[in-house]
Amino acid sequence: MTMKFNERVSFSAVFSLRRGLNITRANYQENGVPCLSYGDVHSRYLGFVDAAVHPLPKVSTDYLDSAPQCLLKAGEFVFADTSEDYEGAGNCTCVLNESDGLFAGYHTTVASPVRKEICSRYYGYYFLSEDFRNQICKAISGIKVFSITNSILNATRLLFPNLKTQENIANFLDKKLNYIDTLIEQKREESKKLSEYRQSLITQVVTKGLNTNVEMKDSGVPWWGIIPTHWHVEKLGFFAQTKSGTTPSSSNRSYYEDGIHNWVRTTDLNLGEITDTPVKLTELALKETACQYVPKDSVLIAMYGGAGTVGKYGLLQVESTLNQAVCAIFPNSKVLPKYLFYQAAAFRKYWMVYALSTRKDPNISQEDIQRWKVFIPPLKEQNDIIKYLDKKVSEIDTISTLTQQAIELLTEYRSSLISAAVTGELNIEEVTHGE
């Protein structure tokens, strides 16, 4: 049996709105007063924030005098007023504790309760629910950036159960979500360890080989140490060719609509085999631009995008075109493509050495990739390494996939539990009876 709530009130009847500080990231400093900006709401503290516990950037104490209205109090809410994706529109966090001072930062809107019969923790959960988020999503518009205005917030209609019910729901969710979040964190830790083991296994095999009893020599590469004596080291440019692509004008829809030709971007580099791409190009795009096909078995490496993207890799399993941020590598007969793919996996984190030492913008070039020193065993040994790693990596990836699925299911359950509880679809009195 549900206890679904029917009373609704306008947002403006429950909350008043004001803006956060008119600053940018450039105003952050090492010491000062903690500041909660829209990026913190989106990426770190969605739902609830405690200034005494959660690390936050700081701004000058001068704002205590010049902008005291931007200081937050416990029980207030901070909405990110812009989002780069549709799903993030309306993201919000409830201030549990402002500690010794906490500012609302840039691109934020503060909602302060104007009625006494409010349990802020209940509304902290309610603002995460489908009931509220669906109202926001129906009202927003945009292409690359979605803005949340005061009028959009004030137009929403909020469920308004009595204070005792609000408190009971918040207490119920506090307890249940603490358990769920613990499980999610355990699974994330398992996933992290699997990823680390995968990386260490690949690195060990492509730098030391499968036979640990062979004689070793110095590799000449500082971070790799020793390699088997019968292996040799060559810069990639001596045994492989490289090529990058281009991006047809995104304003010309005829280059993309109903496209049939695969087009790889850095976001498509999945650290595995690439068999298809979500964005495709038309015949017209290939005819009127510099886009050209690269062959199957090309090893792909991301050149642009900073530390989080540079060095991402993939092994192309279909003919495809590329954008300008992706480098395709075609080794000659001395090196098997799949072996080079595993070398790329081992080398990924070291690409930033090239990037940071050559330019202010942390990207790499084809010339950097051509200078990459690759360890080359005999072809038979390359093939043995491929077979061994294919088997081991497949086993790890299967476990990783199951772990990730468990995280997704727990996350979905978490969201559905919040929505069911705050709307009364879940009768928490029945659920908790006897506990």
Side-chain angles (χ1 to χ4, degrees):
M1 178 178 177
T2 67
M3 47 186 254
K4 194 166 184 177
F5 313 130
N6 295 314
E7 183 183 358
R8 287 187 183 270
V9 296
S10 67
F11 188 102
S12 58
V14 184
F15 298 99
S16 64
L17 299 174
R18 67 182 190 275
R19 299 290 299 167
L21 289 171
N22 183 23
I23 60 171
T24 68
R25 293 178 67 90
N27 295 104
Y28 288 163
Q29 57 186 46
E30 186 174 350
N31 298 305
V33 183
C35 182
L36 181 74
S37 293
Y38 82 122
D40 303 305
V41 176
H42 282 309
S43 62
R44 298 201 290 171
Y45 305 127
L46 178 64
F48 299 92
V49 66
D50 184 339
V53 175
H54 296 138
L56 287 162
K58 294 179 174 61
V59 294
S60 171
T61 55
D62 292 346
Y63 291 111
L64 293 171
D65 295 324
S66 62
Q69 74 280 4
C70 297
L71 281 168
L72 294 164
K73 297 178 181 178
E76 293 186 319
F77 300 84
V78 180
F79 286 86
D81 72 5
T82 60
S83 173
E84 293 180 359
D85 59 83
Y86 183 76
E87 292 76 15
N91 278 351
C92 166
T93 193
C94 172
V95 179
L96 295 176
N97 179 9
E98 77 276 24
S99 190
D100 296 326
L102 175 63
F103 276 112
Y106 60 99
H107 283 308
T108 62
T109 298
V110 180
S112 183
V114 296
R115 294 178 64 161
K116 293 182 178 180
E117 57 271 41
I118 290 291
C119 173
S120 290
R121 283 166 36 251
Y122 167 80
Y123 279 99
Y125 289 123
Y126 178 74
F127 290 142
L128 297 175
S129 72
E130 289 185 8
D131 186 90
F132 177 74
R133 302 301 286 266
N134 286 344
Q135 294 183 65
I136 294 292
C137 288
K138 289 178 181 177
I140 61 173
S141 61
I143 299 176
K144 292 185 177 180
V145 176
F146 302 90
S147 297
I148 313 301
T149 62
N150 285 10
S151 60
I152 288 176
L153 287 172
N154 284 327
T156 59
R157 303 282 295 175
L158 311 182
L159 290 174
F160 198 75
N162 62 64
L163 180 59
K164 182 62 177 176
T165 300
Q166 292 180 38
E167 290 172 342
N168 287 343
I169 291 172
N171 291 336
F172 168 79
L173 287 174
D174 284 348
K175 180 179 179 180
K176 293 295 184 182
L177 296 188
N178 181 62
Y179 176 68
I180 295 170
D181 289 345
T182 299
L183 291 178
I184 291 174
E185 187 56 36
Q186 289 173 351
K187 291 297 180 183
R188 284 176 176 162
E189 187 62 28
E190 289 176 19
S191 180
K192 179 183 176 183
K193 289 180 178 178
L194 283 166
S195 179
E196 290 172 350
Y197 173 59
R198 183 186 194 271
Q199 182 68 29
S200 66
L201 176 68
I202 293 172
T203 300
Q204 174 68 22
V205 173
V206 300
T207 59
K208 303 296 184 283
L210 296 172
N211 185 354
T212 57
N213 296 318
V214 299
E215 186 178 348
M216 296 286 183
K217 66 179 180 181
D218 181 43
S219 68
V221 181
W223 48 81
W224 287 140
I226 57 175
I227 62 172
T229 302
H230 64 285
W231 291 18
H232 64 280
V233 182
E234 277 193 32
K235 290 182 179 179
L236 182 129
F238 288 113
F239 66 84
Q241 295 180 322
T242 62
K243 182 178 184 179
S244 65
T246 190
T247 298
S249 173
S250 58
S251 62
N252 190 336
R253 299 175 66 181
S254 64
Y255 287 162
Y256 296 92
E257 286 187 352
D258 300 320
I260 59 173
H261 300 285
N262 287 312
W263 183 58
V264 180
R265 304 159 298 165
T266 56
T267 53
D268 303 320
L269 298 180
N270 58 7
L271 316 185
E273 295 182 346
I274 299 170
T275 58
D276 195 17
T277 62
V279 179
K280 300 183 189 297
L281 303 180
T282 62
E283 289 284 353
L284 185 64
L286 267 64
K287 181 179 180 180
E288 294 187 353
T289 72
C291 275
Q292 296 179 346
Y293 267 112
V294 296
K296 176 181 179 295
D297 288 329
S298 298
V299 178
L300 307 181
I301 293 180
M303 297 187 291
Y304 307 157
T309 301
V310 167
K312 283 179 66 178
Y313 58 93
L315 183 64
L316 198 57
Q317 293 299 287
V318 290
E319 285 189 329
S320 182
T321 60
L322 315 169
N323 78 359
Q324 70 279 5
V326 178
C327 176
I329 305 171
F330 331 117
N332 63 21
S333 58
K334 294 170 60 175
V335 177
L336 300 175
K338 190 63 177 288
Y339 172 78
L340 185 62
F341 162 81
Y342 281 126
Q343 279 272 329
F347 196 76
R348 182 188 174 186
K349 66 180 179 180
Y350 297 105
W351 283 117
M352 292 307 294
V353 174
Y354 287 84
L356 296 175
S357 65
T358 56
R359 55 185 62 81
K360 292 181 180 180
D361 187 26
N363 298 325
I364 58 175
S365 66
Q366 287 189 66
E367 289 73 24
D368 293 325
I369 293 173
Q370 289 163 1
R371 291 198 301 270
W372 170 24
K373 291 182 178 180
V374 179
F375 304 148
I376 307 176
L379 285 172
K380 181 184 182 305
E381 196 170 349
Q382 290 182 41
N383 200 48
D384 290 342
I385 287 172
I386 291 168
K387 289 179 180 178
Y388 176 82
L389 286 177
D390 279 352
K391 181 177 184 295
K392 291 294 185 180
V393 168
S394 177
E395 292 170 356
I396 297 169
D397 288 348
T398 297
I399 300 172
S400 295
T401 297
L402 293 174
T403 303
Q404 189 58 42
Q405 288 173 350
I407 293 172
E408 291 170 0
L409 288 172
L410 284 166
T411 303
E412 290 172 6
Y413 174 60
R414 185 185 195 279
S415 296
S416 64
L417 184 64
I418 291 172
S419 291
V422 298
T423 58
E425 291 180 7
L426 177 67
N427 188 330
I428 64 168
E429 293 181 1
E430 291 183 355
V431 173
T432 59
H433 181 69
E435 289 188 0

